[in-house]
Amino acid sequence: MNELSVDRKDDGVVLVTLNRPDMRNAMTDTMTAEWRATMTDLATDRDARCVVVTGAGSAFSSGGDLSWLGERGAEPVPRLRERMLGFYRTWLMITELEIPTVAAVNGPAVGAGLCVALACDLVYAADDAKLLAPFTSLGLHPGMAATYLLPRRSPGLAREMLLAGRTVTGREAADKGLVNQSFPKNDLMSEVGDIATKIAQNAPIATRLTKVALNQDHQDLEAALRWESLAQPVTMVSADMVEGLTAHRERRMPKFTGS
């Protein structure tokens, strides 16, 4: 059984499912290797327009599989650092994709699993999903860029979760801005599917460049104008812009080709 399920849909949406429900989708070495291969493939997949990540069964992910820690013996810190950096960087490859990424947090998202969800461009959760980052209660410093990803979305809540071990539901996370929105559990995947479809229907070149702009965190107005004065003309000479304007004039859905 593959520990990662990849379903490519005709509209360009790619559904990636963490597939170890018996382990609450813990991020094992095998799953990590499959994730690396999948992200590498998606980086050059010109047919992919949006990636959705979710978990099989009742959980999104219980986080890193740390069972090996009890067996490590006297492994030195430099070797542990090298191992953990490889683990972090593999899972955070999703941040390097040019196409939009969406997390559908269907159940508990714990530690590194929560961080992978928050590394996506858009994050949606089931109302009753539990989100937590219990690193310090396990005697661990946070990892998987938790001290960056959580505060970036909700600074005050991040401190409560990382220092006090606060667990929040998907509904609470939406209220606090940690995730974009929450939905009843039975509606989550259909709602996220609709959002992903809308993303996939937009012009690919314009969408990719917009994601680049949003991730640049422009320092000021002038920096934003300088980027946009370069990026917008790129789209102005595309076939997709002609199609978009024509479709708008003809009152129909555009058929973008990414050219």
Side-chain angles (χ1 to χ4, degrees):
M1 178 184 71
N2 290 338
E3 297 195 10
L4 207 67
S5 171
V6 181
D7 180 18
R8 287 175 168 82
K9 302 182 184 299
D10 292 338
D11 61 2
V13 175
V14 181
L15 177 63
V16 178
T17 305
L18 310 182
N19 193 32
R20 277 304 301 268
D22 57 314
M23 295 180 63
R24 294 165 63 82
N25 302 319
M27 300 149 81
T28 64
D29 287 346
T30 298
M31 185 186 289
T32 300
E34 293 181 12
W35 179 270
R36 183 186 303 112
T38 299
M39 293 299 116
T40 300
D41 288 345
L42 287 171
T44 57
D45 186 344
R46 306 311 298 179
D47 294 325
R49 297 192 179 185
C50 181
V51 174
V52 176
V53 181
T54 194
S58 60
F60 180 80
S61 175
S62 58
D65 177 14
L66 300 179
S67 59
W68 58 273
L69 276 175
E71 305 166 359
R72 76 182 193 281
E75 194 170 357
V77 167
R79 191 174 301 165
L80 283 169
R81 180 176 187 270
E82 183 178 344
R83 175 171 182 159
M84 296 316 298
L85 267 177
F87 177 70
Y88 302 152
R89 286 173 173 160
T90 292
W91 282 95
L92 294 176
M93 286 172 70
I94 194 166
T95 65
E96 300 169 11
L97 296 181
E98 293 182 349
I99 56 178
T101 57
V102 183
V105 182
N106 55 303
V110 183
L114 172 60
C115 292
V116 168
L118 297 180
C120 293
D121 297 310
L122 298 171
V123 188
Y124 301 96
D127 288 337
D128 60 354
K130 289 182 170 55
L131 285 62
L132 60 156
F135 294 100
T136 55
S137 66
L138 298 174
L140 290 169
H141 187 283
M144 195 64 77
T147 55
Y148 169 79
L149 292 168
L150 273 73
R152 183 181 65 160
R153 291 179 177 269
S154 183
L157 182 59
R159 289 177 178 268
E160 284 189 280
M161 295 177 71
L162 292 170
L163 295 176
R166 178 176 172 182
T167 297
V168 297
T169 64
R171 184 182 292 109
E172 292 171 325
D175 290 342
K176 294 285 187 178
L178 188 65
V179 305
N180 293 87
Q181 196 172 348
S182 71
F183 300 105
K185 187 177 184 69
N186 292 338
D187 298 337
L188 176 67
M189 292 311 297
S190 63
E191 293 283 359
V192 171
D194 289 344
I195 293 167
T197 296
K198 290 176 182 176
I199 293 172
Q201 288 173 342
N202 289 332
I205 297 172
T207 298
R208 287 170 183 251
L209 288 173
T210 300
K211 174 172 174 172
V212 171
L214 291 171
N215 287 343
Q216 283 190 48
D217 294 329
H218 299 302
Q219 295 302 306
D220 52 37
L221 179 66
E222 182 62 22
L225 291 178
R226 287 182 179 275
W227 165 259
E228 291 176 359
S229 67
L230 288 171
Q232 194 173 62
V234 171
T235 59
M236 285 176 171
V237 298
S238 68
D240 278 348
M241 190 208 69
V242 175
E243 166 63 10
L245 293 176
T246 302
H248 178 73
R249 184 172 61 251
E250 296 176 353
R251 300 180 182 273
R252 60 172 174 81
M253 284 292 296
K255 296 179 181 179
F256 295 120
T257 61
S259 61

